[in-house]
Amino acid sequence: MDVLVWAQAGDEENVLSLVRQHPVFSHFSEQFWTPHFIRHNLMLYRRGELLYEIDKVADACYLICSGRVGLLAGGTWGRPTMFAIKSRGNVVGDLSLFDNAPRTSTARALEPSLALTLPYDVVRANLTDNPAIACRILSAYATRIRASDQRLIEALNLDLINRLARLLLEIAQGLTEFELDVTQEEIASLVGASRERTNKALATLQRSGALTIHRHRVYRILDAEKLADLALQWSDDRAPTERLSDQSGPVGPDLVQSS
């Protein structure tokens, strides 16, 4: 059976459970969360497949039900740069809901990923019927802004090793082994450093015994406690100029930021 047909034919209960616990979608009218709606809008994206592209017309957002999706920007004026990784429960492609502007990023499946397509007209209909949902959305955006601000503060106060340890723990989500189909250059963009310095930092983490990396994709956490300690270590003794000197690329925004 084709994987896209399989995705549409099953897993409705799992998706229903997800939307009913979601801080925004749980307030939608139950009439939208029918098995037919989910079967019709649930898609399985293969590794490397795009959910949407930058600068294209936007007419829907996507609820990630499983897997990981990377957000990339800058394709129109340079090499695309990955700035966020989204996973189960996160939403991508929702900003254009309010201004009808083109996409500001590209969303790419980093592994086989299930995503529920939510047409903007469905979201807007629920907003009309229940204005309180708008407050929920504003609350979610406020959380993203605070998290993004926190990420900027961390970029100034955490060494590259610390930022990298924190990134890997966030991606792992409690797993001791995971596969991450991104280049080391993309990892570097997520932590705001050059590829060379990021490669050295990854090698340092491996020498420390905290983790191992196989075939540049499979990450195995050997000592979660050590990795967590590194993720929480602040470096306040460095001057601001020293903190900035190890950032040769853009500061990576919050991993749960949407676009």
Side-chain angles (χ1 to χ4, degrees):
M1 180 182 292
D2 184 87
V3 289
L4 296 182
V5 175
W6 171 83
Q8 293 172 344
D11 212 25
E12 297 96 340
E13 287 302 319
N14 183 41
V15 176
L16 276 173
S17 175
L18 178 61
V19 297
R20 285 170 177 163
Q21 297 176 39
H22 196 276
V24 174
F25 301 131
S26 60
H27 294 268
F28 276 29
S29 172
E30 276 291 325
Q31 65 177 312
F32 289 103
W33 304 129
T34 64
H36 173 76
F37 177 86
I38 292 175
R39 282 195 300 269
H40 182 71
N41 291 281
L42 185 63
M43 297 293 292
L44 176 61
Y45 294 87
R46 300 176 178 88
R47 177 183 288 123
E49 192 171 359
L50 301 183
L51 282 70
Y52 56 80
E53 291 185 79
I54 192 171
D55 291 332
K56 300 294 185 181
V57 174
D59 60 2
C61 53
Y62 303 81
L63 173 64
I64 308 303
C65 301
S66 68
R68 296 185 183 90
V69 173
L71 298 181
L72 303 94
T76 55
W77 60 84
R79 180 178 296 179
T81 299
M82 184 173 295
F83 65 89
I85 295 177
K86 309 283 281 190
S87 57
R88 176 179 168 83
N90 294 152
V91 178
V92 297
D94 56 326
L95 290 187
S96 298
L97 168 68
F98 299 100
D99 60 7
N100 292 313
R103 300 288 190 192
T104 58
S105 67
T106 293
R108 187 187 82 206
L110 302 179
E111 58 188 56
S113 302
L114 277 173
L116 183 66
T117 302
L118 297 167
Y120 284 165
D121 58 356
V122 169
V123 180
R124 289 167 180 152
N126 277 273
L127 282 171
T128 300
D129 294 339
N130 186 1
I133 294 176
C135 293
R136 294 277 179 171
I137 294 176
L138 288 175
S139 177
Y141 284 168
T143 299
R144 290 179 189 172
I145 293 172
R146 289 194 184 96
S148 183
D149 289 346
Q150 180 65 24
R151 179 69 69 179
L152 291 174
I153 293 171
E154 290 171 0
L156 294 175
N157 290 282
L158 288 174
D159 289 322
L160 175 55
I161 288 287
N162 310 133
R163 301 200 304 271
L164 188 56
R166 181 163 295 195
L167 170 68
L168 294 175
L169 285 172
E170 290 176 346
I171 294 174
Q173 294 186 323
L175 298 175
T176 58
E177 183 173 310
F178 60 92
E179 185 173 353
L180 187 62
D181 189 21
V182 299
T183 66
Q184 291 187 340
E185 186 172 14
E186 289 171 330
I187 294 177
S189 70
L190 287 167
V191 293
S194 68
R195 176 181 175 180
E196 291 75 15
R197 296 195 68 252
T198 301
N199 288 346
K200 290 180 181 178
L202 285 170
T204 299
L205 286 176
Q206 292 187 83
R207 287 195 300 271
S208 75
L211 59 85
T212 59
I213 305 174
H214 302 278
R215 302 187 302 278
H216 303 292
R217 287 185 179 180
V218 179
Y219 292 72
R220 182 175 300 155
I221 297 176
L222 303 177
D223 192 333
E225 185 175 350
K226 178 180 292 186
L227 202 59
D229 287 342
L230 286 171
L232 294 174
Q233 287 178 9
W234 290 79
S235 302
D236 293 325
D237 55 325
R238 292 191 301 158
T241 53
E242 293 176 320
R243 295 170 188 158
L244 287 171
S245 65
D246 66 6
Q247 298 175 27
S248 60
V251 174
D254 179 62
L255 286 178
V256 296
Q257 183 170 328
S258 187
S259 64

